[in-house]
Amino acid sequence: MSHHIVETQDLHYTYPDGTMGLCGVSFRITHGESVALVGANGAGKSTLLLHLNGFLTATQGGLRIGDYPLTAKNVKAVRRSVGMVFQDPDDQLFMPTVFDDVAFGPLNLGLPEEEVERRVMSALEIVGVPHLKKRAPYKLSGGEKRSVAIASVLSMAPDILVMDEPTSNLDPRSRSRLIQLLKSFEHTKIIATHDLDMALDVCQRTIVLHQGLITADGPTLALFQDEQLLARSGLEKPLRMQGCPVCGEWKERDHGGYRKGAEAGEA
Amino acid sequence: MHMADALVSPAVGGLMWAVSAGLIGYSSKKIKEESDDRKIPLMGVMGAFVFATQMINFTIPATGSSGHLGGGMVLAILLGPHAAFLTMVSVLMVQAMFFADGGLLALGCNVFNLGFFPCFIAYPLIYRKIVGNQASRGRMVTAALIAAVMGLQMGAFSVVLQTVCSGITELPFAPFMLLMQPIHLAIGIVEGLATAALILFIWKARPEIMLAAAEKRPLGKISITKVALGILATTLVTGGLLSWFASSKPDGLEWAMFNTAGLEELHNRDQALHAFLDDLQGKTAILPDYGFKSTAEAPKNEESPNWPAVDPATSLAGLVGGVLTLLASIIIGLALRRRKTQELE
Amino acid sequence: MANIDSGFLQIGRMDTLAQGKTWLHRLDPRAKLIAVSVFIVTVVSFDKYTLSALIPFFVFPAILVGAGGLPVRFLMARVLMVAPFAFFIGIFNPLLDRQTFFQMGTIAVSGGWISFGSIMIRFVLTITTVLALIALSGFNGVCLAMEKLGAPKPFVVQLLFLYRYLFVLTDEAIRMVRARSLRAFHSKTMGIKTFASLVGHLLLRALDRAQRIHLAMCCRGFDGRVPMIKPMGLDWKAVAFTVGWCGLFILLRFYNLPLKLGALVTGWVG
């Protein structure tokens, strides 16, 4: 089965006011891949994400989700298979209670109530917050909000998870909990982020965007070691790959250590 | 200015509720028909915006005092009359429930005064007429200013009518109006200035929003005559009903109760009860015969002969009994609280 | 209107109170909504010179507040905040209506004072019960009750949205107001130009947010209807609550309890 494929071909997008959003983006992401989308502010990450669920339509070029090209006709089916987690959970959690919110998608799919309930509870359990189900979204902490936002997408059983800055505004512990959670998902994942350390942990592959163009596409670690590439794209090395400010010891040892860990993790 | 429950008679409150409920139903139907599914979240967020904004004060130019935005006109301009009306109702509801501004019974009045006039009268008949087909900055600002002032003037007049018709206060019609209209002219100018300033800002920052708001929705669809006729009909029916039973029976509520219950045996039993109560009422001083003061014009002196002769003993009894019942209420409340805290421990 | 910080705290506090666990909190919000509505209509239906007959009605807010474990002081502060309005309208009564209503020893009490007292009592009664209703059911509970009782769906849904984003937008507004006042050392309130720009930015952000919410809804299959599972059956407790209270209100409406009681006591004593 190849229906988790995400493929873009020479995607161009110009905003109504004339600003260039994307100027020819092509990539192909296959089943089960986990891809980080990195780039400086304004590089076109969010614009690209908005294409993936058919909210924006490319001015030129094409997009395939699963086996079909994305058109106005099948946009609903595409939205069902692409679960989108927004940057600000407040935009995503609009229902009065956590339960209602996670149930929103399944209910719209027309599932029977028992099935909806089952899906809601299992989604909440996956992200580890079943105890919050009766709470109001505005009463939650940042980390809880993020978890619920992810649950609200998981309850629709999407094939592909698209996330915009999932680690922003989280405290360190919530962040590492989220990273563990993301690593446990078997979905195809596309994650737009500034958090390169997280990208290093979660994504084997990285696409670097700069001014609406792809400047690099390859294994995450290799790209992050290319200081020139990062500098050109307005980025910096992940903190973990930079020196220790106290002992001054870095580079070789740290890298070596990391590489070993990464390989062990991948194996 | 918000009407308060304490100043509204059930007749006026009920009438305004009926009218407002009709308008809510009508607007909801229109929203459904428009089937623009962006509207629902937009209305909610805009309502929250107006609510938040109402708590931000600014200095009124040329005076020392401060004012805030009411928001009815801004909503009407950005959302169109139907959505704006529903949003305004929601804002007023939240205020009534959380800040005790107004009250539940008076909500009908407030919705009518602060929602109906700006959204269904001032916006289509004043703002849209002035802006016309070619939206320009100057026109929009002028229109917003005039429409806001007029909307509030109508609202203030309506407050006067409602208060006087309720007959709870002694305020006579003419002086009360002379007090309210100028105050609300000032408030209206402030509201107009704030609305105009906001419109101007949006016009500069994101002209497309204003242009879209000015162009979309051919306004012919909101048939003013239909709305007006609907309100007239509701008023006549509800008002007629209320005044009929108010005049035919000493007590409107009594009438409504007995008639809606419709059970023979209840009726019979209640007649006995009624006779007993009449007897009791006759003796009481503090509960004179319930007179529905349905028209404001009735000179208040006419009422005085109706007062029964007062027996000081009954007044004393009323006072003592009142204090005792109040104490009893408080004790019940306290006892329940005590029990609850003990349970917790 | 309240100052923005205190306004925000106020809503938050009421919302927290609604999370309570007493039987009154758990009761079907429809029962509470109906009882409170009947209560208000009954209270305001009294003649304007009614004093003593209104007093027994205090039992309802007293029980709501007592059994619901609501903070009395907080609620009283709310009532006092809005009291001036009723006071200023009501205070005209003693000035305009000087007819002696009853004589107590040497003191003649005018009808105006009686009706003024009546206004203030109604005011306290109606306001406290409405506040108690929200503190016991929460805003969402009341909204759902309204929907179940026949309010139009689009209206209720946007009401829920409003309440949801009230917290987000008020918080945004507070941050902006704070940021302004930190840099405005002399002026307490802002001029209309600053106001327009501040509120205008808030408005633009609100519009953008509405768009993102709509997008988030579309991503999860929104097609104009907002579905909800609401297990709201009819239970006898709620029915008993509604019928019991409404019956009592109507009884108290026609039967002046304090007067009877007072007559009994004074008759006894005398």
Side-chain angles (χ1 to χ4, degrees), chain C residues 44-253:
Chain C
V44 299
S45 76
F46 277 102
D47 176 72
K48 67 173 174 180
Y49 295 112
T50 309
L51 272 184
S52 62
L54 282 171
I55 304 293
F57 283 89
F58 273 105
V59 78
F60 184 52
I63 286 182
L64 290 186
V65 169
L70 305 177
V72 180
R73 216 180 242 213
F74 171 72
L75 293 180
M76 285 331 279
R78 302 314 313 163
V79 173
L80 284 179
M81 283 276 282
V82 272
F85 174 71
F87 181 85
F88 279 118
I89 295 265
I91 199 67
F92 283 102
N93 284 7
L95 298 176
L96 297 169
D97 178 2
R98 291 159 180 266
Q99 200 92 24
T100 304
F101 196 83
F102 70 85
Q103 197 89 30
M104 202 165 234
T106 52
I107 313 160
V109 179
S110 74
W113 280 111
I114 299 287
S115 57
F116 171 67
S118 183
I119 288 181
M120 293 318 282
I121 291 179
R122 284 157 207 257
F123 174 77
V124 174
L125 281 173
T126 50
I127 300 271
T128 34
T129 34
V130 171
L131 289 176
L133 170 70
I134 291 296
L136 292 173
S137 310
F139 191 75
N140 292 333
V142 175
C143 287
L144 294 180
M146 286 197 320
E147 206 249 358
K148 282 275 167 186
L149 293 172
K153 186 97 191 256
F155 174 63
V156 174
V157 169
Q158 64 90 31
L159 205 51
L160 290 172
F161 266 97
L162 184 148
Y163 190 64
R164 167 67 183 87
Y165 287 99
L166 201 79
F167 293 89
V168 179
L169 264 79
T170 311
D171 195 42
E172 261 178 33
I174 286 180
R175 288 200 303 264
M176 290 172 90
V177 168
R178 234 178 247 156
R180 187 210 73 95
S181 60
L182 282 176
R183 287 177 292 158
F185 301 98
H186 304 295
S187 57
K188 260 192 160 175
T189 59
M190 63 189 91
I192 196 156
K193 259 193 179 162
T194 326
F195 173 82
S197 159
L198 192 148
V199 171
H201 276 115
L202 196 63
L203 177 61
L204 291 181
R205 278 157 73 170
L207 291 171
D208 288 343
R209 185 181 290 279
Q211 200 181 26
R212 292 198 304 270
I213 297 165
H214 177 245
L215 173 61
M217 293 170 82
C218 288
C219 283
R220 290 194 275 151
F222 176 65
D223 58 356
R225 295 175 312 107
V226 175
M228 262 185 257
I229 301 183
K230 285 161 295 183
M232 250 200 210
L234 205 66
D235 74 316
W236 63 269
K237 256 194 217 159
V239 175
F241 180 89
T242 320
V243 173
W245 278 114
C246 294
L248 181 69
F249 298 150
I250 290 164
L251 199 70
L252 286 174
R253 173 66 185 81

Side-chain angles (χ1 to χ4, degrees), chain B residues 59 90 98 170 277 337, chain C residues 10 48 70 158 189-190 254:
Chain B
T59 316
S90 319
F98 285 90
E170 289 297 325
L277 288 172
R337 171 177 303 269
Chain C
Q10 149 94 14
K48 67 173 174 180
L70 305 177
Q158 64 90 31
T189 59
M190 63 189 91
F254 298 115

